[in-house]
C-alpha cells in the first residue's frame, strides 16, 4: 500500500489575536472557570488550532500571562519604563493608573494579580511568575527613584529599595481595589496617600 503523504494543515488564524482573546477570557473568569471550549467559542478558532499552536490549557495560560505582562509594559507601566524616567514619571504612573484600571477592559483588575490570589498558594511556578512581575515593577521604580535623587528631584531616602517595594505594593493594592469594584476616585485617593512618601 502506498504511503499517504499527510499535508500539514495551514494556519488559518492570527495567533496573536487568538492569544488576546484568551487573555480576556482568563481575565474575566479566572483559570479554574475558563475552558478551552470557551476560548474556541469566543475566538472562532477551531480547537485543533488552539491546541496545535499553544498546547493544552496550562501551556496556553502561561503564554497568556507572559503576553499580558508584555502588554502592561506598553500601557499602564509606560511612564516609568521610559528612558530617563524619574520622579515626574512616577507621579504620572500613579496618576494615570486609576484611569486605566477603571476603563473598559480593566474592570476586572489585573490578570496577574488575580492569578496570584487564585493559584499562588498551590502553584509555585505561578507564584514565582507573579512575584517576579511585581518585583520587576519595584526594580523599575527603584531606578526611577535613583534618577530622581541624581537630578535633585528627591532627597536621598534612607531606604530606596524599601520605598520602591512599598510603592509597587501600593500599586498592587490599587489593582485589587479595582478588581473589587472600587471607584476611580477611591483608587486615586489611595494612591495619592501612597505618594506622600515622596514628599
Amino acid at each position: 500500500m502506498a504511503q499517504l503523504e499527510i499535508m500539514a494543515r495551514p494556519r488559518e488564524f492570527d495567533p496573536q489575536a487568538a492569544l488576546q482573546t484568551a487573555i480576556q477570557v482568563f481575565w474575566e473568569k479566572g483559570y479554574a472557570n475558563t475552558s478551552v471550549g470557551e476560548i474556541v467559542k469566543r475566538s472562532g478558532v477551531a480547537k485543533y488550532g488552539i491546541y496545535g499552536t499553544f498546547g493544552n490549557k496550562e501551556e496556553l495560560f502561561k503564554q497568556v500571562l507572559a503576553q499580558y505582562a508584555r502588554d502592561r509594559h506598553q500601557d499602564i507601566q509606560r511612564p516609568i519604563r521610559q528612558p530617563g524616567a524619574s520622579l515626574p514619571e512616577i507621579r504620572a504612573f500613579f496618576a494615570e493608573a486609576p484611569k486605566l484600571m477603571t476603563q473598559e477592559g480593566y474592570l476586572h483588575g489585573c490578570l496577574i494579580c488575580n492569578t496570584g490570589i487564585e493559584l499562588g498558594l498551590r502553584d509555585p511556578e505561578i507564584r514565582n511568575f507573579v512575584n517576579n512581575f511585581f518585583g520587576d515593577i519595584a526594580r523599575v521604580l527603584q531606578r526611577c527613584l535613583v534618577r530622581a535623587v541624581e537630578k535633585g528631584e528627591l532627597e536621598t531616602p534612607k531606604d530606596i529599595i524599601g520605598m520602591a517595594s512599598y510603592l509597587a505594593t501600593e500599586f498592587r493594592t490599587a489593582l485589587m481595589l479595582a478588581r473589587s469594584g472600587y471607584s476611580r476616585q477611591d483608587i486615586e485617593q489611595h494612591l495619592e496617600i501612597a505618594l506622600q512618601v515622596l514628599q
Side-chain angles (χ1 to χ4, degrees), residues 26 29-34 57-58 61-62 65 111-131 172:
F26 280 115
K29 297 191 169 187
Y31 180 77
N33 292 327
T34 295
K57 176 182 171 180
E58 181 180 356
F61 188 59
K62 290 176 183 177
L65 291 178
L111 173 61
I112 294 175
C113 190
N114 300 346
T115 299
I117 294 170
E118 181 185 6
L119 302 175
L121 285 177
R122 56 189 175 89
D123 189 321
E125 185 177 1
I126 291 293
R127 181 169 62 250
N128 288 338
F129 182 91
V130 172
N131 289 341
R172 186 172 185 173

Side-chain angles (χ1 to χ4, degrees), residues 5-131:
E5 182 177 355
I6 301 175
M7 300 296 293
R9 192 187 299 257
R11 181 178 288 163
E12 299 172 351
F13 67 95
D14 179 357
Q16 186 61 33
L19 192 59
Q20 290 297 329
T21 298
I23 286 173
Q24 288 297 320
V25 179
F26 280 115
W27 197 350
E28 292 170 13
K29 297 191 169 187
Y31 180 77
N33 292 327
T34 295
S35 67
V36 174
E38 176 68 14
I39 294 169
V40 166
K41 179 180 177 181
R42 296 270 283 273
S43 67
V45 177
K47 186 173 287 188
Y48 73 80
I50 296 293
Y51 282 116
T53 302
F54 303 108
N56 60 26
K57 176 182 171 180
E58 181 180 356
E59 293 165 335
L60 169 61
F61 188 59
K62 290 176 183 177
Q63 294 176 67
V64 158
L65 291 178
Q67 183 60 53
Y68 181 91
R70 290 191 292 269
D71 291 345
R72 300 297 73 82
H73 290 179
Q74 300 302 316
D75 51 29
I76 200 166
Q77 298 175 34
R78 179 185 53 79
I80 57 174
R81 291 184 179 276
Q82 294 179 25
S86 57
L87 194 57
E89 286 72 28
I90 292 176
R91 294 193 182 281
F93 169 58
F94 279 88
E96 294 175 16
K99 303 173 189 177
L100 291 172
M101 289 177 192
T102 54
Q103 73 177 9
E104 185 65 30
Y106 279 85
L107 296 178
H108 306 286
C110 166
L111 173 61
I112 294 175
C113 190
N114 300 346
T115 299
I117 294 170
E118 181 185 6
L119 302 175
L121 285 177
R122 56 189 175 89
D123 189 321
E125 185 177 1
I126 291 293
R127 181 169 62 250
N128 288 338
F129 182 91
V130 172
N131 289 341

